[in-house]
Amino acid sequence: MAAPTPRTPTTAGEGPMSYAIFQLARAHRARAAAMLREMDLHPGQELLLMQLLDRDGQTQSELLESVGLDHSTVSKSLRRMQDAGLLVREPAAHDRRVMVVHLTDKGRALREPLAAMWQTLEETSARDLTAEQAESFVRIAYAITDAINSGGVAAEKCE
């Protein structure tokens, strides 16, 4: 039996969509985290792995930019992943201060399990939606993301 839809607190009454997004993000992140634990990964590490699976040998700065996380989070994740034998970090030939990240065979072996995890998460998330509703949701989610990232009304109110 599915958990009941949480009641929107009265203080969020003027932001029902935003509260729904919060609830969705929390539920999705919790489900993904449970699936990642089964692969001995921490949330966020899969994002770094996917970037490296698409293009191995990126610098830490490139990875940081591609996943949109802060420097300390990426550094900590990369350290944990290196300790787990998923990747190695080496100084770049052109500048010894720059660290280049390469996957190990163990890290590359996670390509299929990660793809399967995302497929399962997608199937679970869209279980009660039609294909058209799922496509519409993706378009709407990216439109909302773009609006939030561009500042929008909140930025105007702060001026």
Side-chain angles (χ1 to χ4, degrees), residues 89 99 111 157:
R89 295 182 289 176
M99 296 302 282
R111 178 183 294 276
K157 284 184 177 180

Side-chain angles (χ1 to χ4, degrees), residues 122-141:
E122 185 84 0
E123 289 168 358
T124 300
S125 299
R127 176 180 49 222
D128 297 329
L129 302 178
T130 65
E132 294 79 22
Q133 287 172 321
E135 289 172 18
S136 179
F137 174 80
V138 170
R139 280 193 311 277
I140 291 167

Side-chain angles (χ1 to χ4, degrees), residues 21-135:
I21 290 168
F22 165 77
Q23 291 294 335
L24 169 63
R26 188 173 72 167
H28 194 270
R29 181 174 171 84
R31 177 60 60 103
M35 296 170 83
L36 289 167
R37 275 192 301 275
E38 293 175 12
M39 291 188 278
D40 292 324
L41 294 174
H42 296 275
Q45 290 179 341
E46 82 282 13
L47 301 175
L48 294 164
L49 283 168
M50 290 188 300
Q51 291 297 322
L52 290 166
L53 286 164
D54 280 354
R55 187 170 66 85
D56 200 7
Q58 295 184 56
T59 65
Q60 284 190 206
S61 296
E62 289 170 326
L63 282 171
L64 198 129
E65 187 175 316
S66 65
V67 296
L69 299 172
D70 64 83
H71 184 274
S72 62
T73 301
V74 171
S75 291
K76 182 178 179 181
S77 290
L78 291 174
R79 189 175 348 96
R80 280 182 169 174
M81 293 166 73
Q82 185 168 359
D83 292 345
L86 300 174
L87 56 83
V88 293
R89 295 182 289 176
E90 305 168 331
H94 70 281
D95 185 344
R96 309 280 300 160
R97 297 171 295 174
V98 175
M99 296 302 282
V100 179
V101 183
H102 293 278
L103 289 172
T104 62
D105 289 342
K106 184 177 178 181
R108 281 188 288 280
L110 287 172
R111 178 183 294 276
E112 293 308 317
L114 281 171
M117 182 208 94
W118 281 102
Q119 180 179 358
T120 300
L121 194 55
E122 185 84 0
E123 289 168 358
T124 300
S125 299
R127 176 180 49 222
D128 297 329
L129 302 178
T130 65
E132 294 79 22
Q133 287 172 321
E135 289 172 18

Side-chain angles (χ1 to χ4, degrees), residues 146-156:
D146 289 345
I148 290 169
N149 288 337
S150 69
V153 176
E156 293 168 11

